[in-house]
Amino acid sequence: KEKNNYTLVIKLRVDSVIITLKELFKKLDYIKIESLIAGDTFKVLTYNLSIHKGRIFNLRLVREIKGKSTQPYEKSRLVFAGHLDEEKKEILTQSPTIQRMSQRLILAIGPSLMASYGMHCELRDITQAYVQSTDRLTRTLFARPLRELRESFPPRTIFRVVRPLYGVAESGLYWFKTYHNHHKDKLRMETSTYNLCLLITHEGIITFKIIGL
């Protein structure tokens, strides 16, 4: 898939559909790393054998083309290579998922709410979801700078992964907590008594909402 995306971006550049300057994806790679450091997802450290114990993982960039049917653009996603993370076997990594009965409830009452009250039904996908999590990791994880960008950092530089990142086993659970709390605290919704992933507006609020996470 990544090879296909790389081939496609070359074609789109030749056809002047994508006109981003610099080497393929290179500008996005720098922007991605800088934004994660600025957002406190990474802490930049100088490696010290006596201090930084344990495995040091690799990072990789997943590059793809988004908006293929409308306005194509390059996108880079930084991924923690956690497939060799042995600790993940000992911690809770699975976030809750919506029950089938809750999905059926939304599908059953949705058409009536739309027809009788003019309500809307929407399906949403969150951009850069995991890196928006507000909590810090309880584990200590270290990673090497990307091979393509190592010349941008001093020798012996490593990153401490401070906040959830794609590829870190428990990131989905952290993101669920952030997203769930947003609906409860900011949107004033409450959890169903039988399903943590089904939320409904509080009694007395004029605008009725029901959502499945």
Side-chain angles (χ1 to χ4, degrees):
K1 183 178 178 181
E2 290 183 50
K3 288 182 179 179
N4 291 338
N5 277 300
Y6 199 83
T7 302
L8 177 61
V9 76
I10 293 175
K11 181 180 183 303
L12 292 173
R13 282 175 176 270
V14 171
D15 296 341
S16 297
V17 177
I18 294 179
I19 56 174
T20 309
L21 300 177
K22 307 261 186 183
E23 187 179 341
L24 298 180
F25 289 102
K26 193 76 171 180
K27 184 176 181 180
L28 285 176
D29 296 347
Y30 281 107
I31 292 173
K32 174 61 64 177
I33 293 292
E34 289 174 356
S35 65
L36 290 173
I37 293 174
D40 201 28
T41 299
F42 288 141
K43 185 175 181 180
V44 181
L45 305 171
T46 300
Y47 178 68
N48 185 324
L49 181 61
S50 63
I51 298 175
H52 305 123
K53 305 290 185 179
R55 188 182 188 93
I56 301 178
F57 294 87
N58 290 321
L59 298 170
R60 69 185 185 94
L61 279 165
V62 176
R63 295 155 170 161
E64 55 185 334
I65 301 298
K66 291 289 190 178
K68 295 175 183 176
S69 60
T70 53
Q71 179 59 51
Y73 62 93
E74 301 168 355
K75 178 180 178 181
S76 293
R77 173 182 291 175
L78 190 68
V79 177
F80 179 84
H83 56 285
L84 297 176
D85 180 9
E86 294 295 329
E87 288 185 358
K88 66 184 178 183
K89 300 175 183 178
E90 304 172 5
I91 60 176
L92 179 64
T93 60
Q94 297 298 316
S95 58
T97 55
I98 188 169
Q99 296 178 13
R100 185 172 296 176
M101 66 177 70
S102 298
Q103 295 175 319
R104 288 175 175 170
L105 172 64
I106 295 174
L107 293 174
I109 68 173
S112 298
L113 294 172
M114 295 169 68
S116 302
Y117 300 98
M119 299 185 70
H120 300 279
C121 180
E122 298 181 359
L123 180 66
R124 293 187 175 179
D125 180 31
I126 308 300
T127 302
Q128 295 295 308
Y130 284 3
V131 295
Q132 295 183 45
S133 301
T134 56
D135 292 295
R136 292 173 174 263
L137 295 174
T138 57
R139 294 196 292 157
T140 300
L141 296 173
F142 297 110
R144 301 178 183 87
L146 286 160
R147 185 184 310 165
E148 303 94 323
L149 303 179
R150 283 178 187 169
E151 70 276 6
S152 304
F153 297 94
R156 299 174 62 81
T157 293
I158 61 171
F159 297 143
R160 178 177 176 180
V161 184
V162 179
R163 296 185 186 276
L165 184 70
Y166 289 98
V168 176
E170 61 268 39
S171 290
L173 192 59
Y174 280 98
W175 165 241
F176 178 84
K177 178 177 179 289
T178 298
Y179 198 43
H180 195 264
N181 287 345
H182 170 76
H183 284 82
K184 291 195 302 178
D185 301 335
K186 302 295 185 181
L187 303 183
R188 299 176 63 195
M189 304 183 75
E190 60 185 9
T191 305
S192 162
T193 56
Y194 72 91
N195 187 356
L196 187 65
C197 297
L198 182 69
L199 294 100
I200 307 169
T201 46
H202 285 290
E203 184 179 353
I205 296 180
I206 297 176
T207 304
F208 174 79
K209 297 184 288 289
I210 181 171
I211 186 169
L213 303 182

